[in-house]
Amino acid sequence: MATDGQEILSNELQGRTDGLVVLESGLMMFINLLAFTGNMMVCWAVYRNQRLRTIPNIYVVTLAISDALMAVLCMPMSVVLLITGQWPFSGAVCHFQGFFCFFCALYSLLLMTATAVNRYFRVVKPNLYRQRFKVKSTCLSVVFITLLAAFGAGLSSMTQWATFIVHYGKVICFMDFKSPQLDMGYMAYLDVFYITLPIGIISFAYYKIFKTIKQHNQEMNNTRQAATLRLNVEEIKITKSTICSCAGLYSLLGAYSYYRHS
């Protein structure tokens, strides 16, 4: 966005009434505290309960840690910006916040994609799941996902296509590209490889999971198969919870897609 536009947004931010400042900053602090507490509770639950230390939960814990770090390292700066109406930190801090927020957004979607793939093999292809999905391979996939998200979030900086500047409308540091063409090209790249493709994989995986579970449940006709039925019920519960999380992320991505052009 042009400098003049940022100056207008900065003046509007500083010209808010005291009541609006308290409301906006208080709401941001509440959401931030809720995010940190909730994600730490997830990590604590897995730490205390050995039954929760499963291969799929490696992705869940990694996602929780990522979100908790974002709440601690990034959002407090936005709270300060909301309270004061100014950015009192250095340009390096702005670059860090902008990169890390962007990294976490991509990281979350990629981790949810990996979780969907894991559950797909767990339910649809259990024999292959037992052969391929081990703790070591899952941890290596987390490392790969971390590097992939970092590459997507940092490519514009590495190539010097854009720099991170304070965006007073979004109340975070955001990419400012050298030209509209670079902006459109980079965002198109992210939309295809980091948003559309993962969402397609997630949708396909959970469609096959629900279809498989439905077929299994229809085949239940004796007591001996009751254990399998209970397993399928458990899979349904876990799958529904994960899909709700994905739906929430989809809505945020949709809002972000609209918001980034504002």
Side-chain angles (χ1 to χ4, degrees):
M1 183 175 289
T3 304
D4 292 342
Q6 286 300 322
E7 290 180 357
I8 294 173
L9 291 172
S10 176
N11 292 333
E12 290 179 354
L13 197 63
Q14 296 179 47
R16 294 169 300 159
T17 63
D18 292 341
L20 188 57
V21 171
V22 172
L23 176 63
E24 291 180 342
S25 57
L27 185 60
M28 174 70 82
M29 286 188 285
F30 173 74
I31 294 173
N32 196 39
L33 179 62
L34 197 64
F36 177 77
T37 304
N39 284 293
M40 285 295 95
M41 288 177 64
V42 170
C43 296
W44 180 252
V46 174
Y47 172 75
R48 291 298 301 269
N49 191 340
Q50 191 170 1
R51 292 180 57 190
L52 295 177
R53 299 175 195 172
T54 62
I55 290 177
N57 280 347
I58 292 176
Y59 296 120
V60 174
V61 171
T62 304
L63 180 59
I65 293 173
S66 170
D67 290 344
L69 287 175
M70 183 174 179
V72 171
L73 299 178
C74 293
M75 292 302 100
M77 303 167 196
S78 294
V79 172
V80 172
L81 183 56
L82 278 173
I83 294 174
T84 64
Q86 298 177 341
W87 181 263
F89 309 104
S90 66
V93 174
C94 179
H95 187 95
F96 169 78
Q97 192 216 32
F99 166 79
F100 199 72
C101 287
F102 202 22
F103 165 80
C104 287
L106 300 180
Y107 199 40
S108 296
L109 186 53
L110 292 176
L111 283 171
M112 286 189 173
T113 305
T115 304
V117 172
N118 181 280
R119 300 217 62 78
Y120 168 81
F121 281 96
R122 171 69 178 87
V123 177
V124 181
K125 300 181 182 296
N127 293 331
L128 191 58
Y129 176 85
R130 286 188 287 269
Q131 295 174 9
R132 299 294 177 84
F133 286 86
K134 307 294 183 182
V135 173
K136 182 178 180 180
S137 60
T138 302
C139 291
L140 287 175
S141 71
V142 170
V143 173
F144 175 75
I145 290 170
T146 304
L147 295 175
L148 189 61
F151 178 79
L155 180 61
S156 62
S157 297
M158 291 186 293
T159 56
Q160 297 184 346
W161 292 341
T163 57
F164 285 95
I165 64 169
V166 180
H167 194 299
Y168 292 94
K170 296 178 173 66
V171 203
I172 59 171
C173 291
F174 202 73
M175 290 178 292
D176 181 44
F177 286 87
K178 292 182 177 180
S179 70
Q181 292 77 15
L182 286 174
D183 188 351
M184 292 179 60
Y186 185 66
M187 290 304 174
Y189 160 72
L190 292 179
D191 285 343
V192 172
F193 293 102
Y194 285 86
I195 298 178
T196 304
L197 184 59
I199 287 177
I201 294 173
I202 291 172
S203 301
F204 171 79
Y206 284 120
Y207 166 75
K208 297 294 289 185
I209 289 170
F210 273 121
K211 185 177 179 180
T212 301
I213 291 175
K214 183 178 180 180
Q215 290 175 347
H216 277 228
N217 288 341
Q218 290 174 347
E219 295 170 359
M220 296 300 121
N221 53 15
N222 57 50
T223 306
R224 184 178 179 182
Q225 292 173 318
T228 306
L229 177 59
R230 286 194 294 271
L231 174 62
N232 289 333
V233 170
E234 184 67 21
E235 294 296 343
I236 290 175
K237 291 179 180 179
I238 297 173
T239 301
K240 285 183 177 179
S241 299
T242 309
I243 285 182
C244 288
S245 300
C246 291
L249 183 61
Y250 291 170
S251 63
L252 290 175
L253 287 171
Y256 162 75
S257 181
Y258 170 80
Y259 195 39
R260 77 186 184 202
H261 296 294
S262 60

